[in-house]
Amino acid sequence: MKLTKGGHAPVPTSLLTVVLSWQSEHEVDAHALLLSEAGQVRSDRDFVFFNAPRHVSQAVTLDLEPGPGTARLSVSLPRTESEVSRIVLTGSVEGGSFTEVPGLVLTVFDHNRPVAWFEIADSDSVQAMMFGEFYRRDGQWRFRAIGQGWTSGLAGIVTEFGVQVDEPETQTRTPDQDQRTSDRGQRTSDRDQRTPDRRQRTSDRDQLAPDRGQRTPDQEQRSSGRDEPAPDRDERTPDQGQRTPVRGQRTPESGQRGPRRGFSLERQRPEMPPPPPPNPERADWHPDPEQAGRLRWWDGSEWTAAMRPQLPVDARHCPRCGRPRRWRLFGAPAPCRECAGEIDDYLLAWRGRVERVLRTVGTQGEDWDALWTALRYQQIDVTRALESLRPLAHDHVERLVAFAFADGAIEQPEMEAFDRAVGAFGLSGPLIEDLRRRMQRGRMLTRLRSGEMPVLPATGLHLDPEEQLHLDVPAIHIRQLARGPKLTEGRLICSNKKLRFTGSDTGAEMLWTRVVSVTSEGGRVLVAATSARGGAVFEVADPDHVAATMEGALRVAKRLALTPGRRDTRSIPQEVKAQVWQRDGGKCVECGDSHYLEFDHIIPLSRGGATSAANLQILCRACNRAKGARI
């Protein structure tokens, strides 16, 4: 509903949004005063403005970051206390007057639906204005459009409704201030000329003073000075200023509350925090931006109260405590004894924390980052900490590799966990490189089994339409005859349509629809088919690679889909791996070696063995190959 000046309309008793909009570059502030039946605020807390943006009852809230050219207030009428009968909406402009603010419109919204709006077109040349008010009538809330300017500014409006405002400490008098209006009382420029009546009243008060008790020296001094000219109002002492009540201030003589301290209407600018360090994501000691020669701890989000002196960086002093270091006869200076003992004690407890984190979340997450943050806080060299973790780091990497190969497949997250652990501990050497090659080969075989196979050029081969070549390797076809096995040399060709073998005197072809499974066992590739005579055995240079490629082609041809989270019957849950590893102590149960460890089925899967903790053991690679498929 569009309102004119003095118009009013009912509003719903709900959460309302009051938006003041204008079309200029001026800054307009919105405020609200919660008034009682007497038309006064109950306390200064009933004034909501930029220094107090939220009422204690949350009935009125000021948006401190509105959009450009707008000011916004949230008015919750259901939360308004019963003692509040009116909510007056006011505003003020800085650096000008409201006549310089065109397009001033006040709109009341209910759930993004305007229920009342008021276009303030005839603004006066004032810096403060009362736009409108919410008021109660017959148990309902209504809104009235006012649009009244206030010549005395924001301080005059709030003082009118009982808010106590602090006067600035220093004031510059202007000719307008010297010419006071009649409604504030006419003051004469000379107070030295007192009338006889006033002198008589002064003497009467002096005669009544003994009835009020013993007079203090201050009172005697003030009484003796009454015949002297009174100082100007601007030059009054604090005691004399308190005797003159201001608007909205109750005096002790009336038997009510005495003068209360007001608050300033000057906008409070928040203190700017010190700038962050160059690398704000990293918690570390940095030069204190507020004081030179001091280090301050940055916790990754803000500056803390922890501080250290910034020590000189030279070889003659300890970089941690600043004590002078002893020099050896030859070579570098000796380490600081005091700091060496403290660091050893700290690292002893710190290694236990590292071991617990590695067994739970590994080398990632907040717990892992907190370990190295603690080292930086203690100013301990990372290289020394890594040296103390060297045996633990090798055991952790071996554990990752053994867990990854437990189900015969290396997924990308497992590969990333291995690389992350090696990088975190700074590991290198022949053992680490051999483990890396194993992980990379396992990842490659896993991708082949899942159907990510290369496409090779069909040189010298005649393929069917839409047939793609995936494998072409030398092979020996092994056939079991009555007089013994017959070996035929030739080429094993695998495509997305079929499996072929071409030899010097024979050849074979098998469609993927007839193939049941492809496995690698004993250095040979075994192909099982739907008929007893349809299978085949091939001897190749790399049986694992050939079997993985053929298995991937088989799955693509038959469109086989594996259950999410489980690959085949060899899949071992993580909790079972951890239980077996803990039980066997992370070592081979046969020879006690702690390198190249693998999970082995005591009763092989081919003989009906279960994938359980009771049927699993840890063997090194050599012992596992020697055991084979035996029980």
Side-chain angles (χ1 to χ4, degrees):
M1 176 183 296
K2 183 176 182 180
L3 300 178
T4 59
K5 193 171 184 179
H8 52 85
V11 293
T13 305
S14 61
L15 177 62
L16 304 178
T17 302
V18 179
V19 177
L20 181 68
S21 59
W22 60 92
Q23 300 175 0
S24 68
E25 299 296 329
H26 291 79
E27 182 179 357
V28 180
D29 294 317
H31 331 102
L33 297 108
L34 286 74
L35 309 181
S36 62
E37 288 286 349
Q40 297 285 302
V41 295
R42 298 165 297 174
S43 68
D44 291 342
R45 292 187 176 183
D46 287 341
F47 180 36
V48 177
F49 69 121
F50 39 78
N51 289 341
R54 183 185 298 271
H55 191 258
V56 65
S57 67
Q58 298 187 4
V60 181
T61 303
L62 173 64
D63 186 0
L64 294 179
E65 296 182 358
T70 61
R72 185 183 298 267
L73 285 162
S74 296
V75 181
S76 179
L77 296 180
R79 291 184 176 180
T80 306
E81 299 163 296
S82 58
E83 295 86 357
V84 177
S85 62
R86 296 164 57 196
I87 300 177
V88 176
L89 307 177
T90 61
S92 60
V93 61
E94 293 185 3
S97 64
F98 276 102
T99 55
E100 303 171 2
V101 183
L104 195 62
V105 179
L106 183 73
T107 309
V108 180
F109 290 90
D110 176 28
H111 298 290
N112 297 326
R113 178 179 62 91
V115 295
W117 61 93
F118 173 39
E119 296 181 359
I120 308 172
D122 52 347
S123 303
D124 298 329
S125 180
V126 293
Q127 292 185 344
M129 180 176 292
M130 184 165 62
F131 302 120
E133 65 177 358
F134 294 97
Y135 64 96
R136 298 180 190 264
R137 176 67 58 85
D138 299 331
Q140 300 294 327
W141 283 96
R142 300 177 67 86
F143 176 76
R144 178 185 292 115
I146 298 176
Q148 177 182 349
W150 224 267
T151 57
S152 54
L154 176 60
I157 293 182
V158 299
T159 304
E160 181 72 23
F161 293 108
V163 178
Q164 175 66 27
V165 178
D166 284 345
E167 294 291 339
E169 295 183 0
T170 59
Q171 295 183 353
T172 302
R173 296 183 59 86
T174 63
D176 291 341
Q177 290 174 329
D178 291 335
Q179 300 296 329
R180 300 291 185 177
T181 56
S182 57
D183 56 347
R184 295 189 180 182
Q186 183 68 31
R187 293 192 308 172
T188 59
S189 59
D190 186 8
R191 293 182 178 268
D192 294 334
Q193 303 296 327
R194 295 198 175 187
T195 61
D197 293 339
R198 295 185 64 183
R199 295 181 182 272
Q200 182 63 36
R201 286 197 300 270
T202 302
S203 61
D204 292 341
R205 284 197 300 267
D206 293 339
Q207 293 175 5
L208 292 175
D211 298 337
R212 299 175 184 173
Q214 184 67 30
R215 297 173 63 87
T216 63
D218 265 352
Q219 291 171 335
E220 294 288 353
Q221 185 177 357
R222 288 197 299 268
S223 176
S224 61
R226 292 184 188 276
D227 294 334
E228 300 176 1
D232 190 61
R233 180 172 297 181
D234 291 342
E235 300 176 356
R236 289 188 176 187
T237 65
D239 288 342
Q240 292 170 328
Q242 289 182 1
R243 290 200 306 270
T244 305
V246 298
R247 185 180 300 170
Q249 181 175 341
R250 300 173 183 174
T251 59
E253 287 79 359
S254 61
Q256 299 177 1
R257 185 174 54 190
R260 63 178 184 272
R261 179 191 175 99
F263 50 85
S264 174
L265 293 179
E266 296 182 0
R267 190 184 298 272
Q268 298 175 359
R269 304 295 181 183
E271 296 183 2
M272 296 300 295
N279 188 10
E281 295 81 11
R282 177 185 173 91
D284 203 347
W285 293 101
H286 296 277
D288 192 347
E290 296 181 343
Q291 181 175 341
R294 186 175 67 180
L295 297 178
R296 190 171 178 180
W297 180 254
W298 171 266
D299 64 357
S301 59
E302 61 181 358
W303 294 103
T304 64
M307 301 176 187
R308 288 176 180 265
Q310 191 170 8
L311 304 176
V313 181
D314 56 49
R316 297 182 177 272
H317 295 82
C318 175
R320 186 171 182 268
C321 64
R323 298 186 182 97
R325 296 196 294 187
R326 296 185 307 277
W327 282 82
R328 296 169 176 163
L329 185 59
F330 301 101
C336 178
R337 287 185 178 181
E338 292 79 2
C339 290
E342 294 177 4
I343 292 174
D344 290 340
D345 293 340
Y346 184 83
L347 290 181
L348 183 62
W350 183 75
R351 282 195 296 269
R353 294 170 52 193
V354 173
E355 186 173 2
R356 289 192 297 270
V357 172
L358 290 178
R359 291 189 177 277
T360 54
V361 299
T363 55
Q364 63 179 349
E366 295 181 358
D367 294 340
W368 176 255
D369 294 338
L371 294 172
W372 303 98
T373 300
L375 283 185
R376 292 193 293 271
Y377 187 83
Q378 297 293 332
Q379 292 187 322
I380 298 177
D381 186 21
V382 176
T383 304
R384 184 170 182 179
L386 290 176
E387 286 296 330
S388 67
L389 295 178
R390 192 69 60 188
L392 182 62
H394 278 281
D395 292 344
H396 176 68
V397 173
E398 288 279 358
R399 182 174 183 265
L400 288 179
V401 175
F403 276 39
F405 277 98
D407 51 8
I410 307 299
E411 300 295 341
Q412 186 62 29
E414 295 172 330
M415 192 69 196
E416 293 174 355
F418 173 83
D419 293 334
R420 186 167 53 248
V422 171
F425 292 112
L427 299 177
S428 60
L431 176 62
I432 298 300
E433 294 303 319
D434 187 57
L435 292 176
R436 188 188 303 275
R437 286 192 294 267
R438 287 187 61 199
M439 290 290 291
Q440 292 174 349
R441 176 175 171 80
R443 177 58 185 153
M444 182 265 295
L445 296 179
T446 301
R447 294 177 62 184
L448 291 175
R449 293 191 189 99
S450 63
E452 299 182 27
M453 299 166 296
V455 178
L456 305 179
T459 304
L461 297 176
H462 298 282
L463 302 179
D464 297 338
E466 299 182 359
E467 188 176 5
Q468 295 178 343
L469 181 64
H470 299 308
L471 182 69
D472 185 2
V473 294
I476 299 176
H477 186 198
I478 304 175
R479 289 183 295 174
Q480 296 294 336
L481 302 178
R483 61 179 180 272
K486 181 180 179 180
L487 308 181
T488 304
E489 295 183 1
R491 296 169 63 191
L492 182 61
I493 302 171
C494 171
S495 70
N496 62 330
K497 298 290 186 181
K498 62 187 73 172
L499 179 66
R500 298 188 185 103
F501 177 79
T502 59
S504 56
D505 57 352
T506 183
E509 187 176 279
M510 188 182 304
L511 296 176
W512 290 119
T513 54
R514 294 174 50 196
V515 178
V516 176
S517 64
V518 180
T519 57
S520 173
E521 183 177 338
R524 297 176 178 179
V525 177
L526 307 181
V527 180
T530 54
S531 60
R533 299 186 60 182
V537 179
F538 300 98
E539 185 174 325
V540 294
D542 191 349
D544 292 334
H545 180 271
V546 173
T549 305
M550 294 170 61
E551 184 179 353
L554 175 63
R555 289 184 173 181
V556 172
K558 291 192 174 185
R559 295 180 175 86
L560 298 178
L562 301 179
T563 304
R566 296 189 63 85
R567 196 165 294 98
D568 51 28
T569 55
R570 293 183 58 86
S571 179
I572 305 176
Q574 289 292 329
E575 58 272 13
V576 176
K577 298 177 187 177
Q579 182 180 353
V580 175
W581 187 274
Q582 185 72 19
R583 183 198 65 198
D584 296 344
K587 297 180 180 180
C588 177
V589 297
E590 295 291 338
C591 65
D593 195 2
S594 60
H595 299 303
Y596 305 110
L597 301 178
E598 299 175 349
F599 284 86
D600 172 67
H601 287 76
I602 300 175
I603 301 176
L605 289 173
S606 59
R607 299 192 180 187
T611 303
S612 61
N615 193 45
L616 289 172
Q617 62 182 355
I618 296 179
L619 296 177
C620 66
R621 186 193 304 177
C623 293
N624 195 15
R625 297 298 182 269
K627 174 180 178 293
R630 297 190 304 272
I631 299 177

